[in-house]
């Protein structure tokens, strides 16, 4: 089965086609250009160069989060547009699980994506057993200290939030450095995880694809803060209310 996979969760964008674990074609761009402009030309060029078409695909995979809210929405919208006309099944892949899947060997990988506000979307995996050691979530970089300091195996960081982690924990014994060029997500790894999901019967129809943000958007946070402030201003303090009752 051929799998078309897209990775748009961070600054870089990539696409790949795999078959039975072999990468047939791939394309990658990391110039900071808008994904809405670069993604589809990247996919079209890759398929054309490889002599493939969308009709050849048995599954379309996409990193559905966590990550950049805008990037995730662009990737999901693109996959839905490609899959709907052909009723192609889709695989919504954890961005962090795909990051881990790109690495093998001994030790522990902590996947981290820059979530701003001194936070990273993070998860950790044992590379030998493939056991998940930490669930996907948004965490303060400082809150990773206990896990990093108590990790029993060699530990390294990947993802566009890896630099934040190395800045804080790079001198901790047992922490190994990964070159920046090898830290970012790749669509081929998304396809790898998607193949496993399909084998477990976890592929879904395109209309079931949803982003997994793991945090409210900035607009949602600001709205919640504004509503809370307005509620606090209009609330009558209990002592004031009692005083009014006594004077009536």
């Amino acid at each position: 089965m051929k799998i078309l996979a897209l990775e748009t969760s961070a600054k870089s964008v990539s696409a790949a086609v795999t078959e039975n674990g072999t990468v047939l074609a791939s394309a990658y761009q990391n110039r900071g250009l808008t994904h809405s402009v670069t993604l589809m030309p990247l996919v079209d060029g890759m398929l054309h160069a490889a002599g493939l078409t969308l009709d050849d695909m048995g599954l379309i995979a996409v990193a559905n989060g966590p990550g950049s809210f805008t990037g995730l929405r662009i990737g999901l919208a693109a996959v839905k547009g490609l899959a709907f006309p052909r009723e192609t099944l889709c695989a919504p892949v954890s961005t962090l699980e795909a990051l881990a899947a790109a690495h093998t060997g001994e030790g522990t990988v902590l996947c981290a994506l820059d979530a701003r506000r001194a936070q990273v979307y993070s998860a950790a995996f044992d590379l030998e057993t493939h056991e998940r050691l930490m669930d996907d979530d948004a965490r303060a970089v400082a809150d990773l200290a206990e896990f990093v300091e108590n990790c029993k195996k060699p530990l390294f960081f990947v993802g566009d939030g890896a630099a934040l982690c190395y800045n804080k924990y790079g001198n901790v014994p047992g922490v190994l450095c990964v070159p920046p060029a090898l830290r970012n997500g790749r669509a081929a790894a998304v396809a790898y995880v998607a193949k496993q999901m399909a084998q477990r019967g976890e592929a879904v129809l395109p209309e079931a694809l949803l982003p997994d943000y793991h945090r409210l958007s900035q607009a949602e946070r600001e709205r919640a803060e504004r509503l809370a402030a307005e509620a606090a201003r209009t609330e009558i303090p209990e002592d004031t209310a009692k005083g009014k009752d006594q004077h009536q």
Side-chain angles (χ1 to χ4, degrees), residues 140-217:
V141 176
D143 290 342
L144 298 172
E146 182 177 356
F147 181 88
V148 172
E149 293 167 2
N150 291 301
C151 189
K152 304 300 183 184
K153 296 183 178 182
L155 172 69
F156 58 92
F157 303 103
V158 296
D160 68 0
L164 299 172
C165 296
Y166 278 118
N167 286 342
K168 188 166 184 63
Y169 303 113
N171 294 324
V172 173
V175 171
L176 307 179
C177 185
V178 175
L182 302 180
R183 295 176 188 173
N184 290 341
R186 301 280 179 165
V190 174
Y192 175 80
V193 177
K195 179 175 180 288
Q196 297 175 324
M197 293 176 66
Q199 291 171 340
R200 296 193 298 264
E202 296 173 1
V204 300
L205 294 172
E207 57 264 32
L209 288 175
L210 293 171
D212 197 356
Y213 294 134
H214 288 277
R215 194 174 74 179
L216 294 175
S217 67

Side-chain angles (χ1 to χ4, degrees), residues 35-162:
H35 293 348
S36 59
V37 174
T38 60
L39 177 60
M40 294 314 300
L42 200 75
V43 173
D44 289 341
M46 176 192 69
L47 292 177
H48 179 74
L52 297 167
T53 71
L54 290 171
D55 292 331
D56 296 322
M57 305 303 144
L59 182 72
I60 302 180
V62 61
N64 76 321
S68 159
F69 285 31
T70 301
L72 295 176
R73 286 193 290 266
I74 291 171
L76 287 162
V79 167
K80 287 183 178 183
L82 297 173
F84 264 124
R86 300 165 182 81
E87 297 184 346
T88 309
L89 287 176
C90 302
V93 174
S94 160
T95 308
L96 299 170
E97 186 174 353
L99 273 169
H103 299 273
T104 59
E106 298 180 358
T108 299
V109 57
L110 198 156
C111 307
L113 299 172
D114 189 357
R116 311 302 180 187
R117 300 163 65 97
Q119 289 187 322
V120 287
Y121 299 114
S122 52
F125 301 82
D126 186 296
L127 290 177
E128 295 176 87
T129 64
H130 307 292
E131 178 187 1
R132 179 183 281 272
L133 306 176
M134 183 188 294
D135 290 334
D136 294 5
D137 207 351
R139 300 175 174 90
V141 176
D143 290 342
L144 298 172
E146 182 177 356
F147 181 88
V148 172
E149 293 167 2
N150 291 301
C151 189
K152 304 300 183 184
K153 296 183 178 182
L155 172 69
F156 58 92
F157 303 103
V158 296
D160 68 0

